[in-house]
Amino acid sequence: MTEALLTVRNLSVDFHTARGTVHAVRNASWSVNRGETLAILGESGSGKSVSASAVMNLLDIPPAEVVSGEILFEGKDLLKVSYEEHRALNGKRIAMIFQDPLGHLNPVYTVGWQIVEMMTAHGRPANKARARALELVTRVGIPDPEKALKKYPHEFSGGQRQRLMIAMALMLKPDILIADEPTTALDVTIQAEVLALLKELQAETGMGLVLITHDLGVVAEIADRVVVMSQGEIVEEGSVREVYHHPRHPYTRKLIGAAPGKGEIKQPATDAPALLEVRELAKSYGKFTALKDASFTLSRGQSLAVVGESGSGKSTLARTILRLEKADSGKALWKGKDLITMSPRELLSVRREIQMVFQDPTQSLNPRMSVYQLISEGWDIHRLMPDRKARRRRVDELLEQVGLLPEHAERYPHQFSGGQRQRIAIARALALEPELIICDEAVSALDVSVQAQVMALLDGLRKKFGISYLFIAHDLGVVRDFADMVLVMKSGEIVEGGPTEKVFNAPEHPYTRRLLAANLDPDPDVQAQRRQMAATAPS
Amino acid sequence: MIGLIGQRAIASLASLVVLMVMVFFLSRLTGDPAALFLPIDATEEMKQQFRTLHGLDRPVLEQFVMYVWDVLRLDFGESLRRARPAIDVVLEAYAWTLPLALITMALVVVAAIVLGAIAAFNVGGIIDRGISVVSLIGASAPDFWIAIVAIVLFAINLGWLPTSGVGTPWHWIMPVAVLFIRPFGLIVQVVRGSMLSALAAPYVKTARAKGVKNRPIIFVHTLRNAMLPVITVIGDQAAALLNGAVIVETIFGFPGIGKLMIDSILQRDFNVVMAAILVTAVAIFIMNILIDIAYSILDPRIRQ
Amino acid sequence: QDNTDITVVLSEELDLVDPCMATRSNIGRVIMQNVSETLTELDVRGDEGLMPRLAESWEDLGDGVWRFHLRPNVTFSDGSAFDAADVQHTFDRVFSEDVTCESARYFADTELSFEVVDDLTIDITSEPAQPILPLLMTLVTIVPSETPMEFVREPIGTGPYVLSEWQAGQHIQLDRRDDYWGEQPEVSSARYVFRSEAAVRAAMVETGEADIAPQITELEATNPATDFSYPNSETVYLRIDSADAPTDDIRVRQALNHAIDREAFIGTLLSEGTELAVTIVPPTTLGWNGGLEPPAYDPDLARQLLEKAAADGVDVNLPIEIIARTGNFPNVTEVAEALTQMLSEVGFNASLRMVEVAEHEQYYSKPYPESEGTRLILAQHDNSRGDPVFSMFFKYHSEGTQSGISDPHVDDLIERATAATGDERAALWSELFAYIHEEVVADVLLFHMVGHSRVSERLDFRPTIATNSQLQLSEIGFK
Amino acid sequence: MTDISQTNASPAELRGAPALLAMLWRDKFAFVSAVVLLIIIICALIGPVFLGDLAASQNLRGRNSPPFDLSRGWAFVLGGDSLGRPVLARLIVAAQSTMMVAAGAVFSAMTVGALFGLVAGYMGKNVSQLVMRLADVIMSFPSLLLAVVVLYLLGPSVPNMILVLAITRIPIYLRTTRAEVLEVRERMFVQAAVVMGASHWRIIFRHILPIIAPTLVTIATLDFAFVMLAESSLSFLGIGIQPPNITWGLMVSQGRPYLNTAWWLAFWPGLMIVITALSLNLLSNWMRVALDPAQRWRLESRKTGHD
Ligand SMILES: Nc1ncnc2c1ncn2[C@@H]1O[C@H](COP(=O)(O)OP(=O)(O)OP(=O)(O)O)[C@@H](O)[C@H]1O
Ligand SMILES: Nc1ncnc2c1ncn2[C@@H]1O[C@H](COP(=O)(O)OP(=O)(O)OP(=O)(O)O)[C@@H](O)[C@H]1O
Ligand SMILES: [Mg+2]
Ligand SMILES: [Mg+2]
């Protein structure tokens, strides 16, 4: 093999904390060549994002320390070049898409400005940059791109932000693109478009792509080679097909075995009493209608999945029900009482019964509270579990249930990986033992094995305590396995709804059909077949 | 936007009325201007004559009604001591205070933001320590020290600058420099602290991943996020300057509103006090409106 | 000397320049005898006493009538001629209901009437008879008869200078007139600027930005070539209220006097040259009694006196609060603190309270607020006018607004002295001083103060006792 | 159960106060500041009891004795003042009133200001408008007039002084707090707390306040010096703390005329103000780091050693 464009060799990164050293990355080696796509799969918290940050020189040193290794780009060790030299490479030659798109966009500048800056920072003329920004934003499927460029990050949905981030990274046609979970918040149709865009660019410029992902479907669709990471180490490496069909490491085997979408579809219980009835709920931001007359019923013990286009108003629906946004009209009856018009007092008493896991876990965790404080706060609020020891035990238990360690309780949110934070948010929602949990893309950042574990936990709780779920997700496999009812949203409207089986097997609305068709299969061979079919099919 | 400003203006007008009413009654609780205007051995008749002449012998409520009536006709009364319309006296002084405050604040804002941001960026380093210690000493040293030492040094020993007074631009250098020091020290610290939090935000990482240079990272990406408390403190310090800088005016013989206000308060020259507060309050209210507009310009999330 | 323009740096800005306010020292310093002149003038440099100014001579016609012969060929700066009508108008204005002229207070209990004999002769009748009417004329600046009955901002006078520019807060400019009746002064123009900080005033003369700084502090007066000290006619004293316990007992008042080590202040907190006071007026005043001795510093005696008083049932432990005004004179706080300490040392239950001017005024003038125990008011009194009449009534008559005593004999002496003339007047004042000091022990008289001024070396000028209240530009020469 | 990552927690974990002390020790500037403040506080507590008489004993004939002369005893090492009293002893005694006034004014202003600011930022538009316009009134009410009114009507005393100074400083805290609240309350974790059912008070005090506290503390520590000097100028005008009470501000203002002849009269108390302000600020800078979990590593021992 010739010298790769980017080679990471023996990279080890430690974090020094008050409670000891965390070995985040241990002797990781991988490389990516021009025109090649390397997928990094791995456990949540296994050091994927940290190694990407190391390549970009974004680690805070200290507390982080690069203990060993080298990062060779065109033969130069990026760990040794000067700050200024590295800066000149960043964005222009090596670009990165961050895992957590809200926090990584500057809240006080328009997204247009931020995207354009990618080019102006490297001395390109602003007018050219603007034209390219417009082109790319259109390509990633943001509606009304002209206007969108003038808006601020908080005015976009989670998936839209992620796409803006992708557009930003592609501005300068970098030689290497490191994409950290670039499609976690995208519905499958848009995901397909984005992947197509990446491929196209790759063909055009010979870009090397490092794709950090949990989605085996995405890997199957786009990657050439795979490395698998676990506990900071690389445990397996090979071509996509090789690894999928002949995994050697037990973790890899577990991972592939856990891929969702293969189980039996559940049947909704028919006799359960209604818990939440939403009637013609509507919400608009200025002139833009984000939610149009949404109506549905959620029964006790049911799990209702909401799927749909990114930006179609799923999060808005959840937030409006919870009164985080003021509804324009409509009702949301909780056990018969309207949440929308409820007095603040009454609302407060209902709060405990409905919990939410936010789409953006990082932002939803108070940075000044330790994990223990975050999880136990609900008990403080509702005066539950006065016994400190019991609390401690319960926190440890919850952490373990979501796949974290008891000792994580003393850490603060910024010391975790994206997936770990998401699990902290889930643990926090579970701590209050609510009757309804609204999960907004709650498992999107988890690798499939942890995801399976968490889903099993949620399902178990449903069976045991009759907890209901309003489950917003884009991963159709997960939805298929977990939900017994499905709503499909598009452009602020619920276009289809019904039992999972019906929606999956006999979709009515054209959008639903498109959606299902765009779903990716984790098997690379299946994906290759489909690609071929699509290519030969008459358009 | 215009509607909002209009609404604010009306609300501010209400505060202005409250302020003036408070000042009117409170100031009249603090003693008799006649005794202060007239010599110590003045007779009771003279005092009575003075009170009658200025309507001070009437019940306070009646005085108040008369005052309001006059103000509605834009007559702010005569200075008890100066035999001139109070508003003239005040505006004359304010014509000096306003440029002094604006020039000083402009310099302070630029210098403090630049140095505060640099200190935050180099947190814990020698530059940070240097900037912090120097600015803090400036912020806590008695200003008359600095003023008098400056006069001794620059006017007497070196002979570079005039000791005091107004007239040429040279005369402005020392007052501006002395006034500069305290707000500078304060704002440097606030900028530094606020920038420290902002620099830890993830969007700074994005900017670095984009290859943005340090300077724009500090002054474009982070600073704007850190500006909320900064402009609040800038406003506070500007308000202090708009209220007049007594020490500097006293020492440098600068004919601003600060000394006028103090003298008028100590002499119970009510009409001048009222007019002075009216003028400074209007300036401060306008500044606060500008600051609130600045908030919403700086942070789109606050816009409602 | 080519440059005959001077700059004078004053401590206090002027809020008015009206001639009828010229007795207020900050105003007088600028316009008195420079812009506006008086009929008579007190000689403060020599011992000529009362001298003619706009009146060439005067005579007592008896029955309280005085005739003044006015100087001919005098014009005001607006060109109009000076005559008896102007004098009459000046007084009409002083007593007008529409302006609160300060000089009116000197004629508080006298009714004046005027008769214009001819253009240059005027008879002034006072009821009751005022033996020192010509002296009082040093206090009234003459304005032209066109002057309105309100404060003017462009004073017109007969003096050698006109006020040509007044930038409030910045400066006042006086320019020499060509048609002045008297000798042309050397100074061609004077610019007055205002700086409240003594150090800055001194520095301005040092750097040449100013030529005269009439008031600097002792601390700044360090250069013998330029800095002069002069008795400034101010007297510092502690006013006792003898209506209150325990100061209604004379032994307590004596104890207060003996408790204070007056000498210790001089050359320390107060300038060298400060004199111990035995009267409330400075030694240059008519009838000043040189035979009086300042009370000796004798803490033991003070303690004994207190003990005796206590033995007679006087509650000497009642609180005594010293009220002093910040900024009253240089080092006032320290002086007050030292006084408090000295009183405490002999056993008084003394405490100090520093207050601002308005509050001080409350305690200083009648009616005095109630207090448990009593209050001693630290105050400074200025009399540079040459006659005790300007002080004694207010300070000692039972109806005086700042009097702490009520003694029929004192009242009687004051009334008689006020009406007397010549040697009799001097003798009566003398008697009064001795009586107050030794028999009544009315207050704790402390010091006759000195002032300091800095004068540029290019000027030929020495400050006098009057410099505090007037600064005649015509007295300034160049070296 | 998946094993996520390994930590080798150090055996002797520090918690609570010892951990804070260790962090303090790591920032030498802050450590020295803390020691200085401790000394000042001790002086303030016991100074007047032990040195009250010494500080008041006058000696007119031995006034303005220069500093660094030990012949008159340790108390005169910083010189004597204009009444011959030992400056050092006076500094120590004055610490009490000074600290009472400064701390009292700053704390009450901060508490009241922050409270109203939180309410104004968190509550609806009308409440906010009302509070803010009230702040405008206070902000444009000249502090001097307020001082004259209060001290004229109530007399000069330490509590009244605190009252005056506190009122004039309220707007800065109020405005800062409100501005920050407007931004912080839009953050997602505040909404997460809302969903959990947290009461307004809990959201304000547990979630919003900790974020804005560092800014408030920075301003408060800076205000310490401001308040001491403001008190000094009020004394100078005759409406502040007056002798025989002593504060550093009063000493500064009394030393003012002697700036050219006996510099030490105003210099030492001025220096004390500067030192106090400096110490407080360095300590607050340290605190800002120590209390922020994301910054704390700067003060934690870096080398736990990797194997
Ligand atoms: N500042 C920090 N201090 C201590 N530990 C940290 C810190 N940042 C990250 N870690 C730890 O480093 C490990 C690797 O984190 P990283 O973000 O690379 O995980 P990841 O593989 O990207 O996981 P995910 O898929 O969940 O995003 C995690 O176990 C995390 O807890
Ligand atoms: N504060 C806001 N101001 C203006 N528009 C907004 C605002 N918040 C959301 N929107 C718009 O509302 C629409 C719905 O947003 P929402 O977050 O509900 O989408 P979503 O279905 O959750 O999408 P995703 O799957 O990408 O998270 C989006 O088009 C978004 O641009
Ligand atoms: Mg990650
Ligand atoms: Mg969403």
Side-chain angles (χ1 to χ4, degrees), chain B residues 66-145:
Chain B
M66 275 167 41
Y67 185 80
V68 170
W69 176 236
D70 285 344
V71 166
L72 290 179
R73 292 175 301 152
L74 292 181
D75 172 3
F76 295 91
E78 288 253 309
S79 158
L80 300 185
R81 295 185 70 88
R82 287 159 210 266
R84 292 179 64 200
I87 195 81
D88 290 2
V89 178
V90 167
L91 288 178
E92 229 164 63
Y94 216 61
W96 290 102
T97 292
L98 200 60
L100 184 66
L102 293 183
I103 292 173
T104 310
M105 259 349 257
L107 294 174
V108 165
V109 166
V110 172
I113 287 180
V114 170
L115 290 181
I118 290 176
F121 194 72
N122 297 298
V123 57
I126 191 89
I127 297 180
D128 175 31
R129 296 293 192 195
I131 292 177
S132 286
V133 168
V134 168
S135 63
L136 282 170
I137 290 177
S140 50
D143 37 10
F144 73 85
W145 266 14

Side-chain angles (χ1 to χ4, degrees), chain C residues 243-264:
Chain C
D244 284 342
T247 43
D248 50 0
D249 190 287
I250 187 166
R251 287 163 298 190
V252 175
R253 299 203 291 273
Q254 283 165 337
L256 286 172
N257 268 294
H258 290 296
I260 288 163
D261 183 1
R262 292 170 173 77
E263 299 280 358

Side-chain angles (χ1 to χ4, degrees), chain A residues 142-143 151-163 184-187 190 283-286 288-291 306-320 325 359 440-441 472-474 489 491-492:
Chain A
I142 304 284
K151 293 210 261 180
Y152 291 90
H154 72 275
E155 294 171 293
F156 290 95
S157 78
Q160 288 169 337
R161 284 179 216 144
Q162 201 162 36
R163 285 178 273 159
T184 43
L186 303 183
D187 63 282
I190 292 195
K283 167 78 192 165
S284 53
Y285 297 104
F288 177 79
T289 317
L291 191 63
V306 182
V307 298
E309 206 178 18
S310 162
S312 61
K314 303 182 294 292
S315 303
T316 306
L317 174 67
R319 297 165 54 81
T320 317
E325 304 277 359
Q359 184 170 12
D440 194 352
E441 309 277 13
I472 300 170
H474 71 279
M489 286 188 73
S491 312

Side-chain angles (χ1 to χ4, degrees), chain D residues 276-294:
Chain D
T276 311
L278 205 60
S279 306
L280 275 167
N281 279 284
L282 290 174
L283 203 61
S284 91
N285 285 350
W286 166 83
M287 210 149 75
R288 177 183 275 275
V289 174
L291 293 186
D292 184 349

Side-chain angles (χ1 to χ4, degrees), chain B:
Chain B
M1 195 63 153
I2 306 269
L4 237 109
I5 296 176
Q7 221 179 339
R8 256 309 283 278
I10 292 171
S12 296
L13 204 67
S15 336
L16 194 62
V17 171
V18 172
L19 177 70
M20 298 300 277
V21 172
M22 271 171 61
V23 172
F24 188 94
F25 288 103
L26 283 177
S27 61
R28 261 150 250 254
L29 289 177
T30 58
D32 178 12
L36 291 167
F37 177 80
L38 294 168
I40 199 82
D41 47 3
T43 58
E44 192 48 41
E45 293 94 79
M46 287 177 72
K47 290 186 187 170
Q48 200 49 50
Q49 181 197 351
F50 181 87
R51 291 186 201 117
T52 317
L53 214 57
H54 294 98
L56 296 167
D57 53 345
R58 302 179 204 205
V60 179
L61 226 51
E62 194 185 324
Q63 288 182 43
F64 179 68
V65 172
M66 275 167 41
Y67 185 80
V68 170
W69 176 236
D70 285 344
V71 166
L72 290 179
R73 292 175 301 152
L74 292 181
D75 172 3
F76 295 91
E78 288 253 309
S79 158
L80 300 185
R81 295 185 70 88
R82 287 159 210 266
R84 292 179 64 200
I87 195 81
D88 290 2
V89 178
V90 167
L91 288 178
E92 229 164 63
Y94 216 61
W96 290 102
T97 292
L98 200 60
L100 184 66
L102 293 183
I103 292 173
T104 310
M105 259 349 257
L107 294 174
V108 165
V109 166
V110 172
I113 287 180
V114 170
L115 290 181
I118 290 176
F121 194 72
N122 297 298
V123 57
I126 191 89
I127 297 180
D128 175 31
R129 296 293 192 195
I131 292 177
S132 286
V133 168
V134 168
S135 63
L136 282 170
I137 290 177
S140 50
D143 37 10
F144 73 85
W145 266 14
I146 302 170
I148 290 182
V149 170
I151 289 179
V152 170
L153 191 65
F154 295 108
I156 302 183
N157 291 348
L158 297 172
W160 291 349
L161 295 169
T163 55
S164 55
V166 286
T168 66
W170 299 109
H171 283 97
W172 287 63
I173 293 180
M174 279 201 285
V176 168
V178 172
L179 281 183
F180 173 90
I181 290 170
R182 182 171 306 167
F184 167 76
L186 251 142
I187 294 170
V188 162
Q189 286 301 307
V190 177
V191 171
R192 179 187 175 279
S194 190
M195 281 290 283
L196 262 186
S197 311
L199 277 169
Y203 54 75
V204 175
K205 291 240 161 90
T206 314
R208 280 175 60 188
K210 284 201 276 186
V212 180
K213 294 193 175 106
N214 277 344
R215 199 176 306 164
I217 287 185
I218 302 172
F219 292 109
V220 180
H221 285 262
T222 324
L223 188 60
R224 185 159 164 192
N225 280 282
M227 275 309 268
L228 282 192
V230 175
I231 52 174
T232 313
V233 174
I234 289 176
D236 175 68
Q237 293 301 305
L241 287 183
L242 289 172
N243 256 325
V246 185
I247 298 276
V248 163
E249 287 173 19
T250 308
I251 292 182
F252 292 107
F254 196 93
I257 192 96
K259 182 111 192 343
L260 176 69
M261 182 104 89
I262 288 232
D263 287 346
S264 305
I265 288 170
L266 290 179
Q267 295 159 349
R268 314 293 192 259
D269 193 343
F270 300 141
N271 286 341
V272 175
V273 173
M274 295 285 285
I277 290 175
L278 181 84
V279 171
T280 53
V282 167
I284 289 170
F285 288 177
I286 289 176
M287 187 194 67
N288 279 345
I289 292 178
L290 291 179
I291 284 177
D292 284 355
I293 293 175
Y295 286 154
S296 61
I297 289 176
L298 284 174
D299 195 330
R301 289 163 298 176
I302 294 184
R303 276 175 226 168
Q304 281 162 351

